Every structure is written in C-alpha cells, then in structure tokens.
Amino acid sequence: MSPKRIGKNVILLNNRPSIIGNAAVVGKKEGEGPLSHEFDKVFEDEFLGKETFEKAESELVKEAVKTALSKTELLPEDIDCCFSGDLLNQCISSSFGIRDSNIPFFGVFGACSTFVESIILGSMTIDGDFASK
C-alpha cells in the first residue's frame, strides 16, 4: 500500500520508516559550542587540509557518510540511495562528497530546509518500496 494523502499537506506513511543511524562531523567553531559532546568528529582545521572551503565541505560530507556507515555496520552497497544537499551551485559539495561511495545520489536544494526535505523524500521513497535503506 502506498503512502496516503490526508488533506493537502499531510501524507500518512504506512510502513513507518525509521532512522537507523546518523553521523555529525563538524569544524572547530561548532566543536567549541555547547553541543560539542554530541558530535562524532570535530576537525580543528576548518579547511580540513584542503585548498578551498568547497573542497573541505565535500570532505565533511565524505566523513559523515563514512561515519554513519561505520556506526550502523553497513556498507555503501547496502544503501539504495542518498538524499543530500548544500548551498553551493548544483549541490557540488554533496555530490563530490558522496561520489566515491557509489551510492546513488539525489541532490536537494532547500537552504535551511534541506535536511527536512531529505528526510521527507527518503521516508516517502522507503515507504513506497522504492528503496529499503
């Protein structure tokens, strides 16, 4: 049974998809904040040894994927698709950060809403039996 619409703005997901893992990798500034104990990895060098911020951001994505997979004991081939985004043209940091994993990638561009849109799209994809992870 596919997701069901309830009114114009609500979708009922029949299979109740859930989040089975996560990762939070951040730069020095975030690591100095009140949530520092919540992060999986804090990089002291905001450029992560890269020449540009964009390349550093791609490296953060790559590290987040690697950490999330490790924490869940999954391999890249276990993942059917990934929804990710950033504020750069063409979701460049996300696409370059995930490309070496060979996980199929959907770029999402929604500024501050990108993570929520990604969760919604991932949930609907799983609930509709188009993916399992």
Side-chain angles (χ1 to χ4, degrees), residues 2-133:
S2 359
K4 177 183 173 187
R5 274 197 156 314
I6 301 174
K8 183 175 177 161
N9 299 313
V10 178
I11 296 173
L12 174 65
L13 301 177
N14 300 305
N15 299 317
R16 305 185 92 170
S18 61
I19 296 171
I20 61 171
N22 64 67
V25 297
V26 300
K28 182 179 180 185
K29 294 267 189 209
E30 292 86 356
E32 293 171 348
L35 299 176
S36 61
H37 63 283
E38 299 290 337
F39 304 128
D40 294 299
K41 188 166 191 178
V42 176
F43 289 92
E44 292 300 314
D45 171 16
E46 65 183 29
F47 281 87
L48 286 73
K50 306 297 180 189
E51 314 83 60
T52 66
F53 174 77
E54 293 81 7
K55 289 181 180 181
E57 191 171 332
S58 288
E59 195 62 31
L60 285 171
V61 171
K62 188 181 296 186
E63 188 64 33
V65 169
K66 184 174 103 177
T67 302
L69 289 171
S70 175
K71 288 170 65 176
T72 57
E73 299 182 359
L74 294 171
L75 299 171
E77 53 267 23
D78 296 326
I79 307 301
D80 298 308
C81 60
C82 173
F83 293 87
S84 180
D86 53 68
L87 296 179
L88 296 175
N89 190 20
Q90 307 278 330
C91 293
I92 203 77
S93 293
S94 296
S95 62
F96 275 78
I98 199 161
R99 74 178 177 173
D100 290 340
S101 70
N102 290 318
I103 298 171
F105 167 74
F106 291 93
V108 179
F109 186 83
C112 294
S113 65
T114 298
F115 82 96
V116 175
E117 287 182 48
S118 295
I119 289 172
I120 291 167
L121 291 168
S123 296
M124 290 171 54
T125 301
I126 289 173
D127 191 69
D129 289 328
F130 296 103
S132 64
K133 291 184 182 62

